[in-house]
Amino acid sequence: MTSSHTDSTILSVLAKRVSPRPPVWLMRQAGRYLPEYRELRAKAGSFLDLCFTPAFAAEVTLQPVRRFGFDAAILFCDILVVPHALGQTVTFEAGEGPHLAPAIETAAGLSQLTGTVDLDALGAVFETIARVRSALPSQTALLGFCGAPWTVATYMVAGHGTPDQVPARLFAYRDPVGFEKLIDLLVQASIDYLAAQFRAGVDAVQLFDTWAGVLGSAEFDRWCTKPAARIVAGLRQKIPDAKIIGFPRGAGTSLLRYMEDVPVDAIGLDWMIDRSFARNKIQSRRPVQGNLDPLALLAGGAALDREVDAVLEAFSGRPFIFNLGHGILPETPIAHVEQMLRRVRKSHS
Ligand code: CP3
């Protein structure tokens, strides 16, 4: 369970200790840039079948750890299994991204959902966690995750991914009280789901608020910060030592308020944030994780070396987990990941 993997460098950084070289993992490290993933993906049937078949999901979780020796494995699953377990129909069409039906465009749509997350419908996820934990070396942390309420709501409301999250933003402006009911439902679902992930064996969890950056300042507080604070408090009531990484992507200077109001153990940094702001105002008070631009990793060569060095220079010497500023892109060459790892691993703080 949570405190047993004391030789994990990730857990040590989350406990505010400085590591001589930063531990490293990558968001979306299990996925389409790996040939072994594509091969298994072709066998699994649908994307959700892959998520819900523990033997497959465990194998896919372990693939990048075996190949690259990352310091953490992240559970292979998706943030949209929560809407699925709330009664919305979720499908992934090849090349099209997710579809959720019926779309919850107004508060009236909430009656289509069950009032609580059906953890039995997610039983396969917990079995995957148990399998992965027993297959991992003790120094490798196993990370669970869920989407933050705002980000998950953007998909539930639109019924699919949207460039500017307009349907959810409109719902929230037109009927904030109704929208809050959806957020409340997701806060409780996230607490229950993450607590069950800890009970199944994850060492820490990440809260992905991928679309936090489109919110105005007041909306950021209401739909990103407050729900995250409630999730942290509710989760720690059930799992007192729960280690949590918060990642409100695109938050900019609002990251300061997020850090002050949400007692997560570490803050995820996207690639857009000003590095001296992040070092001086955030990392001086809380461990950070990130912030290599996924496009620099795709580009490779001298640009990649330069960006890796800039990230290391900004954040080494204080509690830091090396990662991307968002998920790895499917077109990324494996040789570029190897180049990045060689540079991070020979670095010293
Ligand atoms: O990090 C990992 O390796 C763990 C697995 C993981 C996936 N999705 C697998 C996945 C994690 C942590 C996620 C999170 C997720 N899913 C987020 C938040 C973080 C982020 O990247 O923004 C979001 C917004 C989603 C929703 C989602 N899932 C979309 C929009 C899509 C389609 C677009 C796309 O990238 O293909 C997915 C599908 C998905 N989730 C894939 C993978 C590997 C690709 C599906 C496939 O292989 O066919």
Side-chain angles (χ1 to χ4, degrees):
M1 288 276 299
T2 51
S3 55
S4 56
H5 304 106
T6 44
D7 50 345
S8 152
T9 46
I10 300 256
L11 291 185
S12 153
V13 171
L14 294 179
K16 293 192 155 81
R17 285 191 286 272
V18 180
S19 168
R21 67 149 186 87
V24 51
W25 68 280
L26 301 181
M27 288 186 271
R28 295 277 190 110
Q29 65 188 21
R32 286 162 294 183
Y33 74 109
L34 290 177
E36 58 269 36
Y37 171 84
R38 294 194 297 269
E39 197 182 306
L40 211 150
R41 171 84 180 81
K43 280 193 217 151
S46 76
F47 176 71
L48 277 189
D49 288 338
L50 178 57
C51 293
F52 290 149
T53 308
F56 287 165
E59 173 57 22
V60 167
T61 304
L62 293 166
Q63 282 172 348
V65 178
R66 261 189 228 124
R67 186 189 265 271
F68 300 114
F70 287 128
D71 296 293
I74 181 158
L75 165 71
F76 186 82
C77 194
D78 197 84
I79 64 167
L80 299 179
V81 300
V82 167
H84 163 83
L86 286 168
Q88 220 175 3
T89 302
V90 180
T91 49
F92 287 83
E93 314 293 339
E96 275 184 46
H99 285 273
L100 297 83
I104 315 288
E105 286 159 313
T106 63
L110 289 170
S111 62
Q112 314 263 8
L113 302 174
T114 56
T116 52
V117 67
D118 178 3
L119 291 179
D120 290 340
L122 299 173
V125 177
F126 309 126
E127 194 187 324
T128 301
I129 291 170
R131 280 181 187 231
V132 173
R133 190 55 273 174
S134 66
L136 279 177
S138 69
Q139 72 271 19
T140 312
L142 175 56
L143 306 179
F145 69 91
C146 75
W150 163 251
T151 288
V152 175
T154 67
Y155 292 93
M156 294 180 79
V157 171
H160 49 83
T162 49
D164 298 315
Q165 295 72 55
V166 165
R169 286 160 68 199
L170 275 178
F171 182 165
Y173 278 127
R174 285 176 175 149
D175 179 12
V177 173
F179 189 72
E180 190 146 46
K181 294 204 172 91
L182 175 57
I183 294 292
D184 286 349
L185 188 64
L186 288 168
V187 165
Q188 195 53 52
S190 304
I191 293 168
D192 295 343
Y193 180 43
L194 292 177
Q197 291 185 30
F198 274 105
R199 290 187 186 114
V202 302
D203 301 301
V205 294
Q206 178 157 319
L207 192 58
F208 283 89
D209 216 346
T210 302
W211 301 124
V214 297
L215 293 167
S217 178
E219 284 71 29
F220 181 87
D221 283 344
R222 185 158 186 190
W223 308 127
C224 171
T225 300
K226 287 209 171 65
R230 289 170 59 204
I231 289 171
V232 171
L235 181 56
R236 291 210 179 117
Q237 235 164 41
K238 292 176 185 253
I239 311 285
D241 57 350
K243 294 285 177 213
I244 308 164
I245 303 167
F247 178 46
R249 191 174 75 107
T253 50
S254 295
L255 212 46
L256 200 51
R257 294 205 311 284
Y258 184 91
M259 178 190 63
E260 280 163 356
D261 293 349
V262 190
V264 286
D265 299 280
I267 304 266
L269 303 175
D270 58 49
W271 73 94
M272 297 162 281
I273 196 83
D274 181 276
R275 287 198 187 105
S276 56
F277 167 83
R279 177 177 168 84
N280 297 330
K281 301 279 193 248
I282 307 294
Q283 197 192 17
S284 54
R285 293 159 69 185
R286 207 68 66 76
V288 297
Q289 166 181 285
N291 84 321
L292 185 74
D293 187 345
L295 271 186
L297 187 59
L298 176 57
L304 175 57
D305 286 348
R306 206 168 50 237
E307 284 303 301
V308 169
D309 290 351
V311 171
L312 290 171
E313 197 186 308
F315 302 116
S316 292
R318 282 180 178 158
F320 176 51
I321 299 167
F322 193 97
N323 203 320
L324 295 170
H326 193 204
I328 186 168
L329 296 161
E331 310 79 30
T332 307
I334 282 166
H336 294 186
V337 178
E338 292 166 345
Q339 176 187 338
M340 178 204 78
L341 284 172
R342 277 195 303 275
R343 216 160 173 94
V344 174
R345 286 176 176 154
K346 73 170 204 257
S347 72
H348 295 283
S349 59

